[in-house]
Amino acid sequence: MNEPIPEFERLLTLLKLEKEEDFEQYRRKMVQMPLEQRRKEGYAWFPLQVVQKGYAIGERAFVVVQRTASRGAEHQFRAGKTVVLSSLAAGAKHPERSGVVYFVDKDRMRIILNARDIPEWIDTGQLAVEISFDERTYQEMEKAVHKVMAAQKGRLAELRSVFLGEKPPEHSPFAGEVAIPSLNASQVAAVQHILTARDVAVVHGPPGTGKTTTLVQAIRLLTDTEPTVLVAAPSNTAVDLLTERLAAEGLDVVRVGNISRVDEELVNHTLDALVANHPESKNTRKVKIQAAELRRQANRFRRSYGAEERMEKQRLFQEANELSAWANQLEERLIDQILDSAQVIACTLVGAAHPVLEGRKFRTVVIDEAAQALEPATWIPITKASRVVLTGDPFQLPPTVKSVEAQRGGFHITLMEKCLNRLPEVALLQVQYRMNEVIMGFSNRQFYQNQLQAAEEVRNRWLPIPSNFPLQFIDTAGCGFEEKVHPAYQSRSNPDEFRIVREHLYLLEDAFVEKEYPSVAVISPYREQALLIRQTLDEDALLSARPIAVNTIDGFQGQEKDIVYISLVRSNAKGDIGFLQDYRRMNVAMTRARKQLILVGDSATIGRNPFYRAFLEYCEEVGGYHTAWEYML
């Protein structure tokens, strides 16, 4: 019997707490809320129109639905979400099927059903699709942790020892030289760190340091010596980006699982498309349709019937099962051919548990954005490999944890963070190519021990206008700009604070009358403020003509603009700053701008906090401090 491993026992306890809280939040939103309200808040689409139906890989059907009401409205559906498709029509038989969102494209959604046949009630009309609780993700995470705990010997047990800090990672001597002219010295060192690792390699990539570029080159070199490299990330968006970048390098990439968007460049690399477009798949689809029709005929025998009808029903089911088995055999052979020939297989962390990857082993798994992944999810692809590469930045957005109790227990601490504390060597990318040096300076000082340097081409990049200093803090202290709380959602806004942002945007209009307008974003930690900003800009005759991006900090992650405004919102007598205390979130926000970063906030509220006090001092030090009164004359 295995000895208990306290760290993993604790992890399972925290995972259970998170699952319970997640389900409770789902129950409050979905079970207790009327359908019309769920539609209004984006958790349901109805009515729907079926625009396509067919058969996906494996014994699963699919439908493509399009909403015919509330078109263009914001919603909560994303690729990979678990959903329930149902018919609200009177008399519909068994009007419910579960499934997973394969993609969402504006008002269309493709759903892979957890059934091998398309339900007969699909054409009865009055269809609805709703988000349901994602049980499978928790099951796969729990299964992976148990598998790691149970490993007594072999490669997984050795990797576990390294990650626990019980055994130091090993590196082989590097033979030869990595000659990649497009990479800088720290990026080349990171590639060498990956290539020489025998078990675990960690690459720390702060904002703008070319982490993805470095990773793509390392994976390209790994494919020279390994048949197939497994590449994974926490989100579909991150996996899709890697898929495209690797394919652009000329690698044969197969994307397994759901996708974040629908465009030819990405879709052509998906396993579903590769199977569907293969000449042999036409026969497979034909056989699946024949089997489905036989099952439909058999299911017509629903009431009392005699021995002859019973024999006919059995015959139809037997023939349908034989056809299905034949189709699955043909399809599995085709899938194996496609995956065997791939240089890279790309999927999400949970997607690594996809049935098509069952039993497959890889020399190397590369996990990108590992600092945004819950540890149990990270173990899912690790169980399939003998060498692990983790990349990311633990000083940017952490994984989302819904349970306060699980958060207190450390469930938000990622495997990559543990590696930074336990492993003797981590490769740090040190040259950033995004920001002016002044914009970079505060984050560099607070998070990266001043180890970063701005590349020469961005170091002194300025806007070609007056008042172009790259970093500005506009202080609203003493202006009476009190924050407001939405009674239903408890999200916060500050309309007066945005007035200052808008005045600054007007100055931008004047400055760029005869110049090319820069790319601009206005972001905020609070969703309510982002909604207010979007609505106000849409109603502004002058500014609505500009393509100004508006989003929350979380929603804007991974993007960058020439100019970024951050509306901090918090302004109260208590000095309460709420989740502004998540400094990693603010690090993300402060590192999105290329040429100019403008923050608007109340120094009397945020200045009591050591982090923001240090930021205010930095602004004064570099000459970027201003008062809101300058924009209220």
Side-chain angles (χ1 to χ4, degrees), residues 547-579:
I548 299 172
V550 179
N551 214 326
T552 61
I553 292 173
D554 292 33
F556 196 65
Q557 187 187 22
Q559 302 178 59
E560 57 186 73
K561 298 290 182 182
D562 291 331
I563 305 174
V564 173
Y565 294 85
I566 306 175
S567 175
L568 295 176
V569 174
R570 300 311 294 258
S571 180
N572 55 74
K574 296 179 180 178
D576 181 9
I577 64 170
F579 61 67

mmCIF file of all heavy atoms in Angstrom, residues 547-579:
data_model
loop_
_atom_site.group_PDB
_atom_site.id
_atom_site.type_symbol
_atom_site.label_atom_id
_atom_site.label_comp_id
_atom_site.label_asym_id
_atom_site.label_seq_id
_atom_site.Cartn_x
_atom_site.Cartn_y
_atom_site.Cartn_z
ATOM 1 N N PRO A 547 -11.708 53.452 -32.790
ATOM 2 C CA PRO A 547 -11.736 52.043 -32.353
ATOM 3 C C PRO A 547 -11.048 51.857 -31.000
ATOM 4 O O PRO A 547 -9.977 51.257 -30.902
ATOM 5 C CB PRO A 547 -10.993 51.323 -33.473
ATOM 6 C CG PRO A 547 -10.016 52.346 -33.974
ATOM 7 C CD PRO A 547 -10.703 53.685 -33.846
ATOM 8 N N ILE A 548 -11.663 52.405 -29.959
ATOM 9 C CA ILE A 548 -11.072 52.332 -28.621
ATOM 10 C C ILE A 548 -11.501 51.027 -27.952
ATOM 11 O O ILE A 548 -12.701 50.779 -27.780
ATOM 12 C CB ILE A 548 -11.496 53.544 -27.773
ATOM 13 C CG1 ILE A 548 -11.006 54.842 -28.435
ATOM 14 C CG2 ILE A 548 -10.957 53.425 -26.354
ATOM 15 C CD1 ILE A 548 -11.537 56.100 -27.783
ATOM 16 N N ALA A 549 -10.551 50.203 -27.581
ATOM 17 C CA ALA A 549 -10.866 48.936 -26.911
ATOM 18 C C ALA A 549 -11.219 49.217 -25.454
ATOM 19 O O ALA A 549 -10.553 50.000 -24.788
ATOM 20 C CB ALA A 549 -9.679 47.982 -26.991
ATOM 21 N N VAL A 550 -12.284 48.580 -24.974
ATOM 22 C CA VAL A 550 -12.710 48.716 -23.579
ATOM 23 C C VAL A 550 -12.867 47.320 -22.999
ATOM 24 O O VAL A 550 -13.521 46.468 -23.608
ATOM 25 C CB VAL A 550 -14.035 49.497 -23.466
ATOM 26 C CG1 VAL A 550 -14.462 49.609 -22.004
ATOM 27 C CG2 VAL A 550 -13.903 50.884 -24.081
ATOM 28 N N ASN A 551 -12.292 47.102 -21.821
ATOM 29 C CA ASN A 551 -12.383 45.762 -21.243
ATOM 30 C C ASN A 551 -11.995 45.809 -19.767
ATOM 31 O O ASN A 551 -11.498 46.818 -19.270
ATOM 32 C CB ASN A 551 -11.458 44.789 -21.986
ATOM 33 C CG ASN A 551 -12.024 43.395 -22.074
ATOM 34 O OD1 ASN A 551 -12.715 42.933 -21.154
ATOM 35 N ND2 ASN A 551 -11.753 42.706 -23.170
ATOM 36 N N THR A 552 -12.238 44.686 -19.088
ATOM 37 C CA THR A 552 -11.673 44.513 -17.753
ATOM 38 C C THR A 552 -10.200 44.141 -17.905
ATOM 39 O O THR A 552 -9.747 43.771 -19.000
ATOM 40 C CB THR A 552 -12.390 43.393 -16.988
ATOM 41 O OG1 THR A 552 -12.226 42.163 -17.723
ATOM 42 C CG2 THR A 552 -13.868 43.696 -16.814
ATOM 43 N N ILE A 553 -9.459 44.218 -16.822
ATOM 44 C CA ILE A 553 -8.043 43.830 -16.869
ATOM 45 C C ILE A 553 -7.921 42.361 -17.267
ATOM 46 O O ILE A 553 -7.102 41.997 -18.124
ATOM 47 C CB ILE A 553 -7.373 44.082 -15.509
ATOM 48 C CG1 ILE A 553 -7.279 45.592 -15.240
ATOM 49 C CG2 ILE A 553 -5.979 43.460 -15.466
ATOM 50 C CD1 ILE A 553 -6.798 45.938 -13.853
ATOM 51 N N ASP A 554 -8.761 41.514 -16.668
ATOM 52 C CA ASP A 554 -8.707 40.088 -16.989
ATOM 53 C C ASP A 554 -9.005 39.845 -18.461
ATOM 54 O O ASP A 554 -8.361 39.027 -19.121
ATOM 55 C CB ASP A 554 -9.705 39.307 -16.133
ATOM 56 C CG ASP A 554 -9.308 39.286 -14.670
ATOM 57 O OD1 ASP A 554 -8.722 40.275 -14.196
ATOM 58 O OD2 ASP A 554 -9.604 38.292 -13.985
ATOM 59 N N GLY A 555 -10.010 40.565 -18.986
ATOM 60 C CA GLY A 555 -10.397 40.377 -20.379
ATOM 61 C C GLY A 555 -9.358 40.886 -21.358
ATOM 62 O O GLY A 555 -9.316 40.456 -22.513
ATOM 63 N N PHE A 556 -8.503 41.805 -20.908
ATOM 64 C CA PHE A 556 -7.515 42.413 -21.792
ATOM 65 C C PHE A 556 -6.164 41.694 -21.733
ATOM 66 O O PHE A 556 -5.249 42.029 -22.476
ATOM 67 C CB PHE A 556 -7.323 43.891 -21.419
ATOM 68 C CG PHE A 556 -6.634 44.707 -22.484
ATOM 69 C CD1 PHE A 556 -7.242 44.921 -23.710
ATOM 70 C CD2 PHE A 556 -5.378 45.243 -22.261
ATOM 71 C CE1 PHE A 556 -6.601 45.667 -24.697
ATOM 72 C CE2 PHE A 556 -4.731 45.991 -23.241
ATOM 73 C CZ PHE A 556 -5.351 46.203 -24.467
ATOM 74 N N GLN A 557 -6.071 40.693 -20.875
ATOM 75 C CA GLN A 557 -4.800 39.982 -20.748
ATOM 76 C C GLN A 557 -4.355 39.419 -22.097
ATOM 77 O O GLN A 557 -5.162 38.928 -22.874
ATOM 78 C CB GLN A 557 -4.902 38.845 -19.744
ATOM 79 C CG GLN A 557 -3.556 38.209 -19.468
ATOM 80 C CD GLN A 557 -3.675 36.967 -18.613
ATOM 81 O OE1 GLN A 557 -4.725 36.364 -18.547
ATOM 82 N NE2 GLN A 557 -2.607 36.569 -17.964
ATOM 83 N N GLY A 558 -3.057 39.505 -22.358
ATOM 84 C CA GLY A 558 -2.525 38.977 -23.606
ATOM 85 C C GLY A 558 -2.556 39.978 -24.745
ATOM 86 O O GLY A 558 -2.031 39.708 -25.821
ATOM 87 N N GLN A 559 -3.182 41.146 -24.530
ATOM 88 C CA GLN A 559 -3.256 42.168 -25.566
ATOM 89 C C GLN A 559 -2.327 43.336 -25.209
ATOM 90 O O GLN A 559 -1.846 43.447 -24.090
ATOM 91 C CB GLN A 559 -4.694 42.663 -25.720
ATOM 92 C CG GLN A 559 -5.684 41.564 -26.064
ATOM 93 C CD GLN A 559 -7.103 42.082 -26.152
ATOM 94 O OE1 GLN A 559 -7.409 42.965 -26.945
ATOM 95 N NE2 GLN A 559 -7.979 41.541 -25.330
ATOM 96 N N GLU A 560 -2.131 44.216 -26.175
ATOM 97 C CA GLU A 560 -1.320 45.399 -25.943
ATOM 98 C C GLU A 560 -1.778 46.497 -26.889
ATOM 99 O O GLU A 560 -2.342 46.224 -27.950
ATOM 100 C CB GLU A 560 0.169 45.101 -26.150
ATOM 101 C CG GLU A 560 0.502 44.561 -27.532
ATOM 102 C CD GLU A 560 1.959 44.143 -27.654
ATOM 103 O OE1 GLU A 560 2.330 43.100 -27.081
ATOM 104 O OE2 GLU A 560 2.716 44.861 -28.332
ATOM 105 N N LYS A 561 -1.579 47.755 -26.495
ATOM 106 C CA LYS A 561 -1.941 48.905 -27.318
ATOM 107 C C LYS A 561 -0.875 49.979 -27.162
ATOM 108 O O LYS A 561 -0.076 49.965 -26.223
ATOM 109 C CB LYS A 561 -3.297 49.483 -26.893
ATOM 110 C CG LYS A 561 -4.484 48.537 -27.049
ATOM 111 C CD LYS A 561 -4.832 48.282 -28.492
ATOM 112 C CE LYS A 561 -6.058 47.374 -28.611
ATOM 113 N NZ LYS A 561 -6.390 47.058 -30.025
ATOM 114 N N ASP A 562 -0.884 50.954 -28.080
ATOM 115 C CA ASP A 562 0.054 52.071 -27.971
ATOM 116 C C ASP A 562 -0.191 52.847 -26.677
ATOM 117 O O ASP A 562 0.742 53.212 -25.962
ATOM 118 C CB ASP A 562 -0.099 53.015 -29.167
ATOM 119 C CG ASP A 562 0.372 52.401 -30.468
ATOM 120 O OD1 ASP A 562 1.277 51.545 -30.410
ATOM 121 O OD2 ASP A 562 -0.160 52.752 -31.528
ATOM 122 N N ILE A 563 -1.471 53.129 -26.398
ATOM 123 C CA ILE A 563 -1.855 53.878 -25.208
ATOM 124 C C ILE A 563 -2.861 53.064 -24.407
ATOM 125 O O ILE A 563 -3.827 52.550 -24.968
ATOM 126 C CB ILE A 563 -2.487 55.239 -25.575
ATOM 127 C CG1 ILE A 563 -1.556 56.041 -26.481
ATOM 128 C CG2 ILE A 563 -2.848 56.042 -24.325
ATOM 129 C CD1 ILE A 563 -2.174 57.325 -27.010
ATOM 130 N N VAL A 564 -2.628 52.951 -23.112
ATOM 131 C CA VAL A 564 -3.565 52.234 -22.237
ATOM 132 C C VAL A 564 -3.931 53.138 -21.063
ATOM 133 O O VAL A 564 -3.050 53.679 -20.380
ATOM 134 C CB VAL A 564 -2.954 50.912 -21.717
ATOM 135 C CG1 VAL A 564 -3.881 50.277 -20.679
ATOM 136 C CG2 VAL A 564 -2.715 49.941 -22.868
ATOM 137 N N TYR A 565 -5.233 53.308 -20.865
ATOM 138 C CA TYR A 565 -5.755 53.998 -19.689
ATOM 139 C C TYR A 565 -6.243 52.950 -18.693
ATOM 140 O O TYR A 565 -6.904 51.980 -19.087
ATOM 141 C CB TYR A 565 -6.944 54.888 -20.064
ATOM 142 C CG TYR A 565 -6.630 56.055 -20.959
ATOM 143 C CD1 TYR A 565 -6.584 55.898 -22.346
ATOM 144 C CD2 TYR A 565 -6.407 57.322 -20.433
ATOM 145 C CE1 TYR A 565 -6.307 56.965 -23.185
ATOM 146 C CE2 TYR A 565 -6.138 58.411 -21.261
ATOM 147 C CZ TYR A 565 -6.089 58.220 -22.632
ATOM 148 O OH TYR A 565 -5.818 59.284 -23.452
ATOM 149 N N ILE A 566 -5.951 53.159 -17.418
ATOM 150 C CA ILE A 566 -6.472 52.276 -16.369
ATOM 151 C C ILE A 566 -7.281 53.125 -15.391
ATOM 152 O O ILE A 566 -6.749 54.048 -14.771
ATOM 153 C CB ILE A 566 -5.347 51.551 -15.599
ATOM 154 C CG1 ILE A 566 -4.422 50.800 -16.553
ATOM 155 C CG2 ILE A 566 -5.944 50.581 -14.570
ATOM 156 C CD1 ILE A 566 -3.212 50.166 -15.874
ATOM 157 N N SER A 567 -8.568 52.806 -15.297
ATOM 158 C CA SER A 567 -9.444 53.480 -14.334
ATOM 159 C C SER A 567 -9.524 52.608 -13.088
ATOM 160 O O SER A 567 -10.110 51.526 -13.110
ATOM 161 C CB SER A 567 -10.836 53.680 -14.949
ATOM 162 O OG SER A 567 -11.724 54.227 -14.012
ATOM 163 N N LEU A 568 -8.928 53.066 -11.979
ATOM 164 C CA LEU A 568 -8.812 52.244 -10.771
ATOM 165 C C LEU A 568 -10.098 52.160 -9.961
ATOM 166 O O LEU A 568 -10.274 51.241 -9.156
ATOM 167 C CB LEU A 568 -7.682 52.778 -9.887
ATOM 168 C CG LEU A 568 -6.270 52.692 -10.489
ATOM 169 C CD1 LEU A 568 -5.258 53.335 -9.555
ATOM 170 C CD2 LEU A 568 -5.887 51.250 -10.781
ATOM 171 N N VAL A 569 -10.996 53.128 -10.096
ATOM 172 C CA VAL A 569 -12.356 53.128 -9.529
ATOM 173 C C VAL A 569 -12.408 53.424 -8.031
ATOM 174 O O VAL A 569 -13.180 54.261 -7.572
ATOM 175 C CB VAL A 569 -13.104 51.800 -9.829
ATOM 176 C CG1 VAL A 569 -14.457 51.759 -9.113
ATOM 177 C CG2 VAL A 569 -13.283 51.617 -11.324
ATOM 178 N N ARG A 570 -11.600 52.747 -7.213
ATOM 179 C CA ARG A 570 -11.784 52.805 -5.766
ATOM 180 C C ARG A 570 -11.514 54.210 -5.208
ATOM 181 O O ARG A 570 -10.442 54.777 -5.417
ATOM 182 C CB ARG A 570 -10.898 51.793 -5.051
ATOM 183 C CG ARG A 570 -11.142 50.346 -5.429
ATOM 184 C CD ARG A 570 -12.609 49.942 -5.382
ATOM 185 N NE ARG A 570 -13.172 49.972 -4.055
ATOM 186 C CZ ARG A 570 -13.374 48.889 -3.291
ATOM 187 N NH1 ARG A 570 -13.043 47.700 -3.736
ATOM 188 N NH2 ARG A 570 -13.931 49.027 -2.098
ATOM 189 N N SER A 571 -12.512 54.728 -4.508
ATOM 190 C CA SER A 571 -12.398 56.036 -3.864
ATOM 191 C C SER A 571 -13.381 56.077 -2.710
ATOM 192 O O SER A 571 -14.590 56.194 -2.916
ATOM 193 C CB SER A 571 -12.698 57.161 -4.875
ATOM 194 O OG SER A 571 -12.583 58.431 -4.259
ATOM 195 N N ASN A 572 -12.865 55.936 -1.466
ATOM 196 C CA ASN A 572 -13.728 55.899 -0.291
ATOM 197 C C ASN A 572 -12.945 56.349 0.936
ATOM 198 O O ASN A 572 -11.705 56.332 0.950
ATOM 199 C CB ASN A 572 -14.304 54.495 -0.084
ATOM 200 C CG ASN A 572 -13.215 53.433 0.000
ATOM 201 O OD1 ASN A 572 -12.502 53.307 1.004
ATOM 202 N ND2 ASN A 572 -13.051 52.658 -1.081
ATOM 203 N N ALA A 573 -13.674 56.739 1.953
ATOM 204 C CA ALA A 573 -13.048 57.285 3.161
ATOM 205 C C ALA A 573 -12.297 56.231 3.962
ATOM 206 O O ALA A 573 -11.382 56.548 4.727
ATOM 207 C CB ALA A 573 -14.116 57.946 4.029
ATOM 208 N N LYS A 574 -12.667 54.951 3.790
ATOM 209 C CA LYS A 574 -12.049 53.883 4.572
ATOM 210 C C LYS A 574 -10.688 53.457 4.022
ATOM 211 O O LYS A 574 -9.945 52.735 4.694
ATOM 212 C CB LYS A 574 -12.972 52.655 4.604
ATOM 213 C CG LYS A 574 -14.304 52.894 5.305
ATOM 214 C CD LYS A 574 -15.144 51.626 5.248
ATOM 215 C CE LYS A 574 -16.493 51.821 5.940
ATOM 216 N NZ LYS A 574 -17.339 50.607 5.846
ATOM 217 N N GLY A 575 -10.392 53.850 2.805
ATOM 218 C CA GLY A 575 -9.148 53.369 2.192
ATOM 219 C C GLY A 575 -9.254 51.922 1.759
ATOM 220 O O GLY A 575 -8.241 51.226 1.610
ATOM 221 N N ASP A 576 -10.470 51.446 1.539
ATOM 222 C CA ASP A 576 -10.702 50.055 1.129
ATOM 223 C C ASP A 576 -10.452 49.942 -0.369
ATOM 224 O O ASP A 576 -11.090 50.635 -1.171
ATOM 225 C CB ASP A 576 -12.146 49.671 1.474
ATOM 226 C CG ASP A 576 -12.472 48.232 1.106
ATOM 227 O OD1 ASP A 576 -11.536 47.490 0.745
ATOM 228 O OD2 ASP A 576 -13.658 47.864 1.167
ATOM 229 N N ILE A 577 -9.525 49.060 -0.773
ATOM 230 C CA ILE A 577 -9.210 48.937 -2.203
ATOM 231 C C ILE A 577 -9.645 47.600 -2.799
ATOM 232 O O ILE A 577 -9.400 47.327 -3.980
ATOM 233 C CB ILE A 577 -7.708 49.174 -2.468
ATOM 234 C CG1 ILE A 577 -6.853 48.091 -1.799
ATOM 235 C CG2 ILE A 577 -7.293 50.559 -2.018
ATOM 236 C CD1 ILE A 577 -5.393 48.145 -2.222
ATOM 237 N N GLY A 578 -10.306 46.740 -1.986
ATOM 238 C CA GLY A 578 -10.858 45.495 -2.531
ATOM 239 C C GLY A 578 -9.819 44.668 -3.239
ATOM 240 O O GLY A 578 -8.699 44.500 -2.770
ATOM 241 N N PHE A 579 -10.215 44.127 -4.421
ATOM 242 C CA PHE A 579 -9.244 43.250 -5.089
ATOM 243 C C PHE A 579 -8.197 43.999 -5.899
ATOM 244 O O PHE A 579 -7.462 43.393 -6.678
ATOM 245 C CB PHE A 579 -9.919 42.142 -5.912
ATOM 246 C CG PHE A 579 -10.808 42.581 -7.040
ATOM 247 C CD1 PHE A 579 -10.297 43.217 -8.155
ATOM 248 C CD2 PHE A 579 -12.163 42.331 -6.992
ATOM 249 C CE1 PHE A 579 -11.103 43.587 -9.201
ATOM 250 C CE2 PHE A 579 -12.978 42.702 -8.043
ATOM 251 C CZ PHE A 579 -12.461 43.330 -9.142
#
